[in-house]
Amino acid sequence: MRRALTWIAAFGLVAALAAGLVVATSPRRPATAQTGQAITVQRAHAGSATPTVKRRIVLLTIGSDSGAPKFGRGGTMENGRADALQLVVLDTVKRRGAVLSFPRDSYVPIPGHGTNKINAAMAFGGPPLLVATFKRLTGLSIDYYAVTSFDGLTDIVNKVGGVQVDVDMNLRDHFAGAFLDKGRRKLNGRQALAYARARKTLPGGDFDRSRHQGQVLLGGLGTFQGQVAKDPTQVMAWLAVLRDEVKTDLPFPELLRLALLATRVPPASIRNVPVPGTAGSAGGASVVRLTPGAYALFARVRAGKLG
């Protein structure tokens, strides 16, 4: 059993949307072995057309099991397995949305590679193949993706002073290092990572873990908005952190539009929806088979039904 369990780009949403302002207003420094960026945010589609925020925006957040030297994980983020996967769908007009949380062992068709666990798609062909897999699976066109690692999550959470998360159960998970009591908690980097990784002691296993990953992501967005609402100068604090943590090639106007959007979509209007599935096996390996309810969910989202 692979020990690599995740992070989700808890700050994938904040980095891709909220921190658009940060990256846009700061010169991007070249990455080095010591200062490599913690989050990569890229446009998911080919060509130069810029998505408009006058409609639906779809963001794929990816937590990689690689590219985390502090946790003994070599390689690069983009070539690892995608062990945390959330599809963030935002209705920019009605200012609401949904976070669809996918179990990493979801057994799905991967273009050019038969049927396999969805987390293998990035290892086979990087983020572009993972994006293509999600597009085929859900029928949704993805505008952006954000990928990060264990190091990325812990570093950014610590640098912004922690993240507020609604912990939904008491946790005593030695495997993940999660020792948390139920309730609204301010988590540091390692606690946020542990909450997103815990699985073995959870009654719902991977399904509970996927839900917790969505909670961490929304907690990141809420923390950003709360800090800025209380003290607008906190934008500068986030700027100082994210200037060196986000790698992107998106142009200034696009980043600015995304940044402004992040301040207008309240976390309470974004549903956290675990994708329905059931435990099974394939070739002797444990997998999650998506149920008809998953495909009905995808159809509702395509139709704009996010409430």
Side-chain angles (χ1 to χ4, degrees):
M1 208 56 184
R2 289 170 54 81
R3 191 170 184 269
L5 296 174
T6 85
W7 134 231
I8 125 184
F11 281 73
L13 180 58
V14 177
L17 303 182
L21 178 60
V22 172
V23 182
T25 56
S26 307
R28 182 162 65 87
R29 300 179 182 179
T32 68
Q34 292 74 37
T35 63
Q37 288 90 344
I39 296 176
T40 296
V41 179
Q42 304 283 12
R43 198 181 289 167
H45 57 81
S48 59
T50 301
T52 173
V53 297
K54 295 294 185 181
R55 58 163 178 78
R56 181 173 64 200
I57 293 288
V58 182
L59 166 71
L60 175 62
T61 65
I62 308 161
S64 174
D65 72 351
S66 299
K70 293 178 183 178
F71 289 84
R73 299 174 183 273
T76 63
M77 294 187 302
E78 291 86 349
N79 292 321
R81 287 181 178 264
D83 277 355
L85 292 162
Q86 272 66 37
L87 203 59
V88 181
V89 184
L90 299 175
D91 183 326
T92 62
V93 176
K94 296 181 179 178
R95 298 183 186 179
R96 64 181 184 178
V99 176
L100 309 186
S101 298
F102 289 75
R104 66 172 187 170
D105 290 341
S106 299
Y107 196 61
V108 303
I110 298 175
H113 296 271
T115 303
N116 209 320
K117 294 182 180 181
I118 198 169
N119 71 340
M122 192 165 73
F124 291 154
L129 181 58
L130 185 60
V131 167
T133 299
F134 268 88
K135 183 175 180 180
R136 173 182 287 188
L137 177 65
T138 67
L140 292 165
S141 294
I142 297 171
D143 297 301
Y144 305 96
Y145 69 82
V147 57
T148 191
S149 67
F150 287 10
D151 286 5
L153 172 65
T154 54
D155 287 352
I156 291 183
V157 170
N158 287 334
K159 288 180 179 180
V160 300
V163 58
Q164 295 284 347
V165 176
D166 291 320
V167 176
D168 62 9
M169 62 178 68
N170 294 324
L171 283 177
R172 300 293 183 270
D173 191 306
H174 292 270
F175 179 78
F179 303 95
L180 298 167
D181 293 327
K182 183 178 179 178
R184 187 161 181 78
R185 306 292 174 196
K186 184 176 183 180
L187 307 185
N188 62 30
R190 284 191 175 266
Q191 289 172 322
L193 177 63
Y195 188 59
R197 293 184 65 203
R199 171 183 65 89
K200 291 201 169 184
T201 61
L202 275 56
D206 274 347
F207 300 101
D208 285 343
R209 178 177 61 181
S210 294
R211 185 180 70 256
H212 290 172
Q213 291 167 0
Q215 290 170 353
V216 174
L217 187 151
L218 293 175
L221 177 61
T223 298
F224 167 77
Q225 291 182 345
Q227 288 183 7
V228 173
K230 290 180 180 178
D231 179 5
T233 65
Q234 283 299 306
V235 170
M236 299 304 294
W238 282 71
L239 185 151
V241 171
L242 295 172
R243 176 184 58 191
D244 297 328
E245 298 291 349
V246 179
K247 175 184 176 182
T248 186
D249 60 2
L250 302 185
F252 174 85
E254 194 166 349
L255 289 167
L256 185 57
R257 283 194 293 271
L258 294 174
L260 294 174
L261 172 62
T263 65
R264 298 197 303 263
V265 182
S269 69
I270 302 176
R271 295 176 60 217
N272 183 20
V273 186
V275 172
T278 185
S281 63
S286 297
V287 301
V288 172
R289 296 186 182 277
L290 301 186
T291 63
Y295 298 96
L297 171 64
F298 304 152
R300 291 197 300 274
V301 172
R302 289 196 302 271
K305 298 177 181 178
L306 303 179

